[in-house]
Amino acid sequence: MLEMRKMNQSRGAKARGSSLIEVLVSILIMSFGILGVVGLHARAIQFSLDADDRNRAALFGDELAAQMRLARSVNLSAAQIDTFTKRVQGLDLVTNQPNGSGLPNANVAVVAGATPNVATLTITWRHPGQPVGQLSQFVMDVVLTDEEIT
């Protein structure tokens, strides 16, 4: 009878120890799950910022295409392209100070195409969170019809 009590006591001690290990393992698994959710949230924010920048670049491209249609030519003056570049970079046109409405670290290139009514607009930018050397790019061909030129 004494041996049975000792066996029951030792089983109870083992059960209590295994319960503690089970709790610690479940906390560890929960911690990895929470870290995964935090990582997912960070990536979602990054994708959202990238989508916002791409949308802004498309709007700037449409604005330049409208300027070309108003000028009735894909060849804009250097002053017009310089003003447009400042807007894309988010610089105030009077003070040249950042106003926060442009793309970070942006550059603009406008190249006339082989045909007279075509130009290619390229806007490149690098968000501060992107690694150095990794650029985002928006490329747009502007084609003016004969009716838009005359």
Side-chain angles (χ1 to χ4, degrees):
M1 183 87 130
L2 188 59
E3 285 181 31
M4 293 267 287
R5 281 188 192 166
K6 286 183 182 179
M7 288 176 77
N8 286 340
Q9 288 175 350
S10 65
R11 283 186 195 162
K14 286 182 185 176
R16 281 192 296 251
S18 67
S19 294
L20 180 61
I21 290 173
E22 289 172 358
V23 169
L24 290 174
V25 168
S26 65
I27 289 173
L28 181 68
I29 292 171
M30 272 294 265
S31 299
F32 280 121
I34 290 171
L35 283 174
V37 169
V38 169
L40 255 156
H41 184 66
R43 293 289 290 176
I45 290 172
Q46 183 180 7
F47 286 137
S48 176
L49 288 173
D50 186 52
D52 186 45
D53 287 345
R54 289 184 185 285
N55 186 37
R56 195 174 300 136
L59 290 173
F60 282 129
D62 285 343
E63 180 182 326
L64 184 69
Q67 286 182 7
M68 288 178 177
R69 286 186 178 92
L70 284 173
R72 297 185 181 271
S73 172
V74 293
N75 298 317
L76 297 177
S77 69
Q80 287 174 308
I81 293 176
D82 185 51
T83 301
F84 177 73
T85 301
K86 286 181 182 179
R87 285 186 37 87
V88 171
Q89 292 172 341
L91 299 176
D92 187 86
L93 298 178
V94 177
T95 64
N96 273 346
Q97 296 298 316
N99 60 17
S101 65
L103 294 168
N105 306 308
N107 289 317
V108 175
V110 180
V111 179
T115 58
N117 301 341
V118 178
T120 300
L121 165 67
T122 305
I123 301 173
T124 57
W125 69 95
R126 186 182 69 79
H127 201 274
Q130 286 179 317
V132 175
Q134 181 182 354
L135 297 174
S136 297
Q137 185 176 31
F138 175 79
V139 179
M140 175 180 178
D141 285 333
V142 179
V143 180
L144 298 181
T145 62
D146 290 336
E147 291 84 22
E148 292 172 322
I149 294 175
T150 58

